[in-house]
Amino acid sequence: RSKPHSVEEDPETKDLIIRYVDEDGIPKQERFDMVVLSVGLEVLNEDKGIAGRFGIRLTDGGFFETDSFSPVSTSRDGIYVCGAISGPKDIPSSVVEASSASCEAGILLHEERGTLVKEKEIPPERNVIGEKPKIGVFICHCGTNIAGVIDIDELKEYAKSLPFVEYVEDNLYTCSQDTQEKIAQVIKEKGLNRIVVAACTPKTHEPLFQETLINAGLNKYLFEMANIRNQDSWVHKDWPEDATEKAKDLIRAAVAKVALMEPLKEEELAINKKVLVIGGGISGMTAAKSLSRQGYKVYLVEKEDRLGGNARNLFQTWKGENVQERLSKLIEDVLSDENIKVFLSSEIKDVEGFVGNFKTKISTNGKEETIEHGAVIIATGAREYKPSEYMYGKDPRIITGLELDRKLIEGEDLSRIKSLVFIQCVGSREPEKLYCSKVCCTHSIRNAIYLKERYPDMQIFILYRDIRTYGERENLYLEARRKGILFIRYSLDSKPEVKIEDGRIAIKTEDHILKREIIIHPDLLVLASAILPNENEEIAKLFKVPINEDGFFVESHPKLAPSEFATDGVYLCGLAHYPKPIDESIAQAKAAVSRAMTLLVKDKIYAEGNVSIVDPMLCSGCGVCVSICPYGAPYIMEEGRFKGKAAINPVLCKGCGLCVASCRSGAINLNGFRTEQIMSMIKELGAIR
């Protein structure tokens, strides 16, 4: 912690010299080889010009203005924003807002959905069973990403020498549209029945090339990628000759595997258009209402006897919007919506089925009902930590942040309070709960400003470890300082001490500027408590979705899929994911709806072909595969010829291979990664002779 003054270069050594003042006010200087400036984000002038032309309001910081309850809607109807244009944010938040904006546009246009759709004509699939492998190899330059390191001409000539290779071609960008069309044409003209693309990662590009095979009349699983970019040219850029030799190895292995590949079948699944939303807080209600506005039936399940969740106890948003007014309107809209069936005082008891075809048993006051639906949105929320520290519960003058909000909501007269102290990070960023609860700093400062404006003579202290009013919320911190609200920092190993002395609250802490111990006697102490997850274990088990060590649900990918689970048809939003404010919860609720819509707009989908299969003649029925699978795909057959043997539900299988690796009998294989296919690659890489 310091106040940097300047950075200068030493003309002789070229070192960078940083002059700064430390916490004790002592001037210091240090030398470095490199200095990295962590700079802020600002809106470009041309973007401000766009706002002007469209008549969109901007914030004081120049960002596009939005409402906390419509976080991607601008001041102009029909124009939506996402990403850093509406305020500084990271990649996951930007991706969430992108899906949220898509949801808003979908609501606006849903009556026209499908009116301009043309059915794509797919050529009949060619039967290649029994044919000799005729392999085509397509090598990508990837601009200079690959060709700048690897000798493409040498690689091309080498590929021609490999068994069963009938055609080899190199392209500047193999993923480009014109190259895709050319590959499809070559497949037809040359009668190729298996394809290898040597390029980048299959994680991003495999679906594209598989679609090209389909367009050429080939089964999409007669395909293999050799990742000669991420696994070769990028990591061996300083050794081009060795990189070229490694590329040969990777292509040789891919050719050996694809020669043994066989067409795989994908299971066809019908889609039930109804949706289950679990959780009747602000996220769950937003998701339900957004689905209803697009014409879908929704089952909304809430464990309490009324809707609203944590928002019932919130006074204002960080922008000063009245939460209770907006919440009441949302609850009224949900309860009066004919497309939404609300289950109060209800719990999920059992779940069967899979994406597009779920059956869920709901218990309401002991009465059970089974519903059928195609998708699930989990919005089970979170709860406020009830402290065991700072003498909470032992004196009515010591309350939590939400308990203060309740007083403000009810309009309680607090003029008797002459001195008030907030203590931040109560239960957060502790060894037991290392995460930051994200909203606490903003929440306390917003309430402190409100109280200071209403009761100007009230003395307010905020004892904090770090102030985390991110983005334009930083303006609140500046405003609070200007209004005379006092901030005193404490450290984890020197937290404030709270006692009751002679009937008065006594808070002992150290002033980090004066370096002196001080004692404050407030009339009211407010503890900024952590946000804790609800009991999510049972829901996680029922829907085969993960939770982290803190108890929050874990998304499929924090950047690529922040509102989705790896389990198809199940989506995520709100505080069940991690602590976040109202605007971010609402944005993620709409994002979850947007992702669910990619499923619901279809009449049928196809399950993955790369799934595990069991040879019942080898199966011992030990059940290890059943216990180890995170998706619940394996099961023990209860009747028939192979009773007691394992089988795999191909719809639930994700092709992760856990069951294959755990099978002691060698009875399980993974389509597309069968033992002989994997061993052929290992052999070509020289690992076995």
Side-chain angles (χ1 to χ4, degrees):
R1 296 180 182 275
S2 61
K3 297 178 181 178
H5 173 269
S6 59
V7 181
E8 298 175 356
E9 184 183 62
D10 187 318
E12 296 182 1
T13 65
K14 304 300 181 182
D15 289 345
L16 294 173
I17 303 171
I18 295 186
R19 291 184 170 84
Y20 65 94
V21 177
D22 68 12
E23 286 191 282
D24 296 324
I26 300 174
K28 292 186 177 181
Q29 70 177 38
E30 291 188 51
R31 292 174 176 266
F32 298 92
D33 299 314
M34 178 184 289
V35 173
V36 179
L37 305 180
S38 180
V39 300
L41 296 176
E42 63 180 1
V43 179
L44 299 173
N45 287 328
E46 47 262 46
D47 293 331
K48 294 179 182 178
I50 291 174
R53 288 193 291 277
F54 280 102
I56 298 172
R57 288 197 299 269
L58 299 177
T59 66
D60 292 339
F63 295 95
F64 283 39
E65 184 178 273
T66 61
D67 182 275
S68 294
F69 292 83
S70 302
V72 296
S73 298
T74 66
S75 57
R76 184 80 180 271
D77 289 344
I79 299 180
Y80 308 103
V81 290
C82 55
I85 194 72
S86 60
K89 53 182 63 75
D90 57 7
I91 291 174
S93 296
S94 297
V95 173
V96 163
E97 286 190 353
S99 292
S100 182
S102 174
C103 175
E104 293 283 24
I107 291 172
L108 196 66
L109 304 172
H110 83 275
E111 291 182 354
E112 303 299 318
R113 182 177 293 124
T115 57
L116 297 177
V117 172
K118 293 182 180 179
E119 196 72 29
K120 182 178 179 180
E121 292 186 11
I122 299 176
E125 185 176 302
R126 200 170 100 224
N127 185 1
V128 301
I129 300 296
E131 287 186 10
K132 171 188 172 184
K134 297 180 69 176
I135 301 171
V137 178
F138 296 86
I139 303 171
C140 185
H141 291 233
C142 198
T144 58
N145 277 290
I146 295 173
V149 178
I150 294 170
D151 188 330
I152 299 296
D153 289 335
E154 183 179 342
L155 194 60
K156 184 178 176 181
E157 291 304 312
Y158 177 78
K160 291 178 181 179
S161 69
L162 295 173
F164 304 117
V165 172
E166 300 277 337
Y167 183 85
V168 179
E169 180 179 290
D170 64 300
N171 310 99
L172 182 61
Y173 292 105
T174 308
C175 60
S176 65
Q177 182 62 37
D178 57 339
T179 303
Q180 296 301 298
E181 294 172 358
K182 186 177 181 181
I183 292 175
Q185 183 180 350
V186 168
I187 291 173
K188 295 175 183 177
E189 290 178 354
K190 302 293 183 181
L192 304 177
N193 56 25
R194 285 162 180 80
I195 300 298
V196 169
V197 172
C200 54
T201 169
K203 188 173 183 66
T204 56
H205 283 70
E206 184 177 57
L208 174 68
F209 295 119
Q210 287 183 327
E211 184 178 355
T212 302
L213 265 67
I214 293 172
N215 293 335
L218 277 184
N219 185 281
K220 74 178 191 179
Y221 294 101
L222 299 172
F223 170 78
E224 184 67 19
M225 280 191 79
N227 190 347
I228 63 172
R229 187 189 71 178
N230 305 47
Q231 296 176 355
D232 193 358
S233 64
W234 276 1
V235 289
H236 305 305
K237 61 184 178 65
D238 296 326
W239 300 278
E241 293 182 3
D242 292 337
T244 300
E245 291 303 311
K246 181 175 179 179
K248 292 178 183 178
D249 291 342
L250 293 172
I251 290 178
R252 186 172 67 251
V255 167
K257 180 188 176 187
V258 84
L260 298 173
M261 295 292 276
E262 51 200 19
L264 299 178
K265 182 183 177 182
E266 296 182 333
E267 295 287 334
E268 183 179 297
L269 307 172
I271 301 297
N272 184 310
K273 304 289 186 174
K274 298 176 182 178
V275 183
L276 169 64
V277 177
I278 306 174
I282 205 162
S283 298
M285 288 191 294
T286 298
K289 191 63 185 175
S290 298
L291 285 161
S292 171
R293 291 176 67 188
Q294 300 191 63
Y296 293 95
K297 299 287 186 181
V298 182
Y299 300 107
L300 179 60
V301 177
E302 168 56 44
K303 67 180 180 180
E304 295 187 23
D305 59 0
R306 55 179 175 161
L307 299 174
N310 284 297
R312 294 201 308 266
N313 298 311
L314 291 176
F315 178 54
Q316 290 182 337
T317 68
W318 72 274
K319 295 179 180 179
E321 299 135 320
N322 188 307
V323 174
Q324 296 309 303
E325 286 183 3
R326 304 293 285 272
L327 179 65
S328 297
K329 178 66 168 60
L330 179 58
I331 293 174
E332 181 184 340
D333 288 346
V334 168
L335 292 175
S336 61
D337 195 314
E338 294 181 354
N339 281 339
I340 303 174
K341 183 175 181 180
V342 178
F343 294 83
L344 297 176
S345 303
S346 302
E347 294 182 354
I348 306 298
K349 287 298 184 181
D350 191 32
V351 178
E352 297 179 1
F354 39 80
V355 56
N357 298 271
F358 292 101
K359 287 185 179 180
T360 300
K361 185 181 293 183
I362 301 171
S363 175
T364 305
N365 295 322
K367 181 181 177 181
E368 293 188 346
E369 178 178 346
T370 298
I371 61 170
E372 297 183 0
H373 52 99
V376 184
I377 295 178
I378 295 177
T380 51
R383 55 192 166 88
E384 183 187 43
Y385 167 64
K386 296 301 181 182
S388 58
E389 55 267 64
Y390 299 122
M391 299 199 67
Y392 176 78
K394 298 179 180 178
D395 191 295
R397 296 169 296 179
I398 302 175
I399 63 176
T400 65
L402 288 187
E403 289 167 354
L404 173 62
D405 272 41
R406 176 48 54 189
K407 292 178 181 292
L408 299 177
I409 291 169
E410 294 172 354
E412 183 176 327
D413 182 8
L414 300 179
S415 59
R416 69 186 186 284
I417 306 297
K418 304 302 180 185
S419 177
L420 185 150
V421 171
F422 292 88
I423 297 181
Q424 301 302 112
C425 292
V426 179
S428 291
R429 303 172 64 214
E430 299 278 356
E432 301 81 19
K433 294 181 285 292
L434 291 174
Y435 60 89
C436 170
S437 291
K438 192 171 184 176
V439 301
C440 317
C441 289
T442 304
H443 185 234
S444 293
I445 292 175
R446 175 73 259 179
N447 280 343
I449 291 173
Y450 173 82
L451 290 169
K452 193 69 173 176
E453 289 174 342
R454 188 168 182 183
Y455 309 106
D457 294 332
M458 184 183 291
Q459 192 174 29
I460 301 176
F461 298 85
I462 296 181
L463 311 187
Y464 70 98
R465 285 175 58 192
D466 295 284
I467 293 296
R468 297 186 173 185
T469 47
Y470 57 97
E472 291 191 289
R473 291 164 171 81
E474 188 73 6
N475 294 331
L476 291 177
Y477 174 59
L478 183 61
E479 183 182 354
R481 294 288 298 267
R482 286 174 174 167
K483 288 183 180 298
I485 295 169
L486 301 178
F487 291 79
I488 300 175
R489 194 177 74 242
Y490 70 88
S491 62
L492 182 61
D493 55 3
S494 181
K495 295 194 290 187
E497 296 179 14
V498 178
K499 295 180 179 179
I500 305 296
E501 296 177 346
D502 300 325
R504 302 169 66 194
I505 300 174
I507 303 174
K508 183 167 68 174
T509 187
E510 181 181 285
D511 188 303
H512 63 285
I513 296 175
L514 299 177
K515 301 298 180 184
R516 292 179 59 183
E517 183 181 280
I518 60 173
I519 297 177
I520 307 171
H521 294 286
D523 300 312
L524 186 67
L525 171 59
V526 180
L527 305 179
S529 294
I531 293 176
L532 302 182
N534 284 321
E535 300 298 326
N536 293 322
E537 290 82 1
E538 191 60 31
I539 293 292
K541 290 177 182 177
L542 290 172
F543 289 100
K544 309 297 189 298
V545 294
I547 55 177
N548 63 20
E549 59 184 10
D550 296 313
F552 294 100
F553 287 105
V554 180
E555 67 276 48
S556 174
H557 190 287
K559 295 181 180 179
L560 301 180
S563 304
E564 302 169 58
F565 287 109
T567 301
D568 290 338
V570 187
Y571 308 91
L572 169 68
C573 62
L575 294 178
H577 180 209
Y578 61 74
K580 54 176 70 73
I582 283 177
D583 53 351
E584 293 180 23
S585 294
I586 289 176
Q588 195 179 23
K590 292 180 181 290
V593 169
S594 179
R595 302 314 301 156
M597 289 299 299
T598 64
L599 170 70
L600 298 172
V601 295
K602 302 172 184 175
D603 293 323
K604 58 185 178 182
I605 59 172
Y606 296 90
E608 185 69 23
N610 293 127
V611 296
S612 294
I613 54 173
V614 180
D615 182 346
M617 301 301 292
L618 297 178
C619 178
S620 65
C622 67
V624 171
C625 58
V626 177
S627 64
I628 203 170
C629 178
Y631 307 104
Y635 62 95
I636 301 298
M637 291 184 279
E638 297 180 354
E639 55 185 30
R641 178 186 172 191
F642 296 110
K643 180 180 179 180
K645 305 287 187 176
I648 306 286
N649 184 334
V651 177
L652 294 177
C653 181
K654 293 294 178 185
C656 68
L658 273 175
C659 58
V660 180
S662 66
C663 182
R664 301 166 185 172
S665 306
I668 307 179
N669 251 308
L670 179 60
N671 283 334
F673 299 89
R674 299 177 72 93
T675 301
E676 62 270 21
Q677 294 164 346
I678 296 297
M679 296 307 291
S680 70
M681 297 182 78
I682 294 173
K683 181 178 179 181
E684 292 301 330
L685 289 171
I688 57 176
R689 298 294 182 187

PDB file of all heavy atoms in Angstrom, residues 238 283 345 365 402 433 472:
ATOM      1  N   ASP A 238      10.351 -21.377 -31.205  1.00  0.00           N
ATOM      2  CA  ASP A 238      11.797 -21.134 -31.320  1.00  0.00           C
ATOM      3  C   ASP A 238      12.561 -22.334 -31.881  1.00  0.00           C
ATOM      4  O   ASP A 238      13.778 -22.272 -32.043  1.00  0.00           O
ATOM      5  CB  ASP A 238      12.375 -20.761 -29.947  1.00  0.00           C
ATOM      6  CG  ASP A 238      11.806 -19.446 -29.427  1.00  0.00           C
ATOM      7  OD1 ASP A 238      11.540 -18.563 -30.263  1.00  0.00           O
ATOM      8  OD2 ASP A 238      11.627 -19.311 -28.198  1.00  0.00           O
ATOM      9  N   SER A 283     -34.168 -13.426  -9.324  1.00  0.00           N
ATOM     10  CA  SER A 283     -33.621 -14.090 -10.508  1.00  0.00           C
ATOM     11  C   SER A 283     -34.611 -15.084 -11.085  1.00  0.00           C
ATOM     12  O   SER A 283     -34.863 -15.103 -12.294  1.00  0.00           O
ATOM     13  CB  SER A 283     -32.310 -14.805 -10.167  1.00  0.00           C
ATOM     14  OG  SER A 283     -31.329 -13.909  -9.748  1.00  0.00           O
ATOM     15  N   SER A 345     -44.162 -22.929  -0.919  1.00  0.00           N
ATOM     16  CA  SER A 345     -43.918 -23.913   0.153  1.00  0.00           C
ATOM     17  C   SER A 345     -43.663 -25.291  -0.454  1.00  0.00           C
ATOM     18  O   SER A 345     -44.185 -26.310   0.015  1.00  0.00           O
ATOM     19  CB  SER A 345     -45.113 -23.965   1.111  1.00  0.00           C
ATOM     20  OG  SER A 345     -45.379 -22.701   1.659  1.00  0.00           O
ATOM     21  N   ASN A 365     -46.542 -28.934   0.653  1.00  0.00           N
ATOM     22  CA  ASN A 365     -47.248 -29.218   1.917  1.00  0.00           C
ATOM     23  C   ASN A 365     -47.676 -30.682   2.000  1.00  0.00           C
ATOM     24  O   ASN A 365     -48.802 -31.007   2.403  1.00  0.00           O
ATOM     25  CB  ASN A 365     -48.462 -28.301   2.065  1.00  0.00           C
ATOM     26  CG  ASN A 365     -48.078 -26.845   2.188  1.00  0.00           C
ATOM     27  OD1 ASN A 365     -47.077 -26.505   2.831  1.00  0.00           O
ATOM     28  ND2 ASN A 365     -48.859 -25.970   1.559  1.00  0.00           N
ATOM     29  N   LEU A 402     -28.757  -6.437   6.344  1.00  0.00           N
ATOM     30  CA  LEU A 402     -30.147  -6.622   5.909  1.00  0.00           C
ATOM     31  C   LEU A 402     -31.135  -6.210   6.990  1.00  0.00           C
ATOM     32  O   LEU A 402     -32.246  -5.761   6.692  1.00  0.00           O
ATOM     33  CB  LEU A 402     -30.391  -8.077   5.500  1.00  0.00           C
ATOM     34  CG  LEU A 402     -29.755  -8.531   4.183  1.00  0.00           C
ATOM     35  CD1 LEU A 402     -30.220  -9.944   3.824  1.00  0.00           C
ATOM     36  CD2 LEU A 402     -30.060  -7.572   3.038  1.00  0.00           C
ATOM     37  N   LYS A 433     -14.164 -18.966   4.684  1.00  0.00           N
ATOM     38  CA  LYS A 433     -14.899 -18.463   3.519  1.00  0.00           C
ATOM     39  C   LYS A 433     -14.025 -17.430   2.829  1.00  0.00           C
ATOM     40  O   LYS A 433     -14.137 -16.224   3.077  1.00  0.00           O
ATOM     41  CB  LYS A 433     -16.242 -17.861   3.952  1.00  0.00           C
ATOM     42  CG  LYS A 433     -17.223 -18.863   4.534  1.00  0.00           C
ATOM     43  CD  LYS A 433     -18.545 -18.221   4.926  1.00  0.00           C
ATOM     44  CE  LYS A 433     -18.428 -17.412   6.193  1.00  0.00           C
ATOM     45  NZ  LYS A 433     -18.195 -18.239   7.379  1.00  0.00           N
ATOM     46  N   GLU A 472     -18.480   2.058 -11.742  1.00  0.00           N
ATOM     47  CA  GLU A 472     -18.955   3.391 -11.389  1.00  0.00           C
ATOM     48  C   GLU A 472     -19.492   3.460  -9.961  1.00  0.00           C
ATOM     49  O   GLU A 472     -19.843   4.544  -9.483  1.00  0.00           O
ATOM     50  CB  GLU A 472     -20.016   3.852 -12.379  1.00  0.00           C
ATOM     51  CG  GLU A 472     -19.447   4.129 -13.762  1.00  0.00           C
ATOM     52  CD  GLU A 472     -20.434   4.842 -14.663  1.00  0.00           C
ATOM     53  OE1 GLU A 472     -21.413   4.195 -15.079  1.00  0.00           O
ATOM     54  OE2 GLU A 472     -20.218   6.044 -14.925  1.00  0.00           O
TER      55      GLU A 472
END
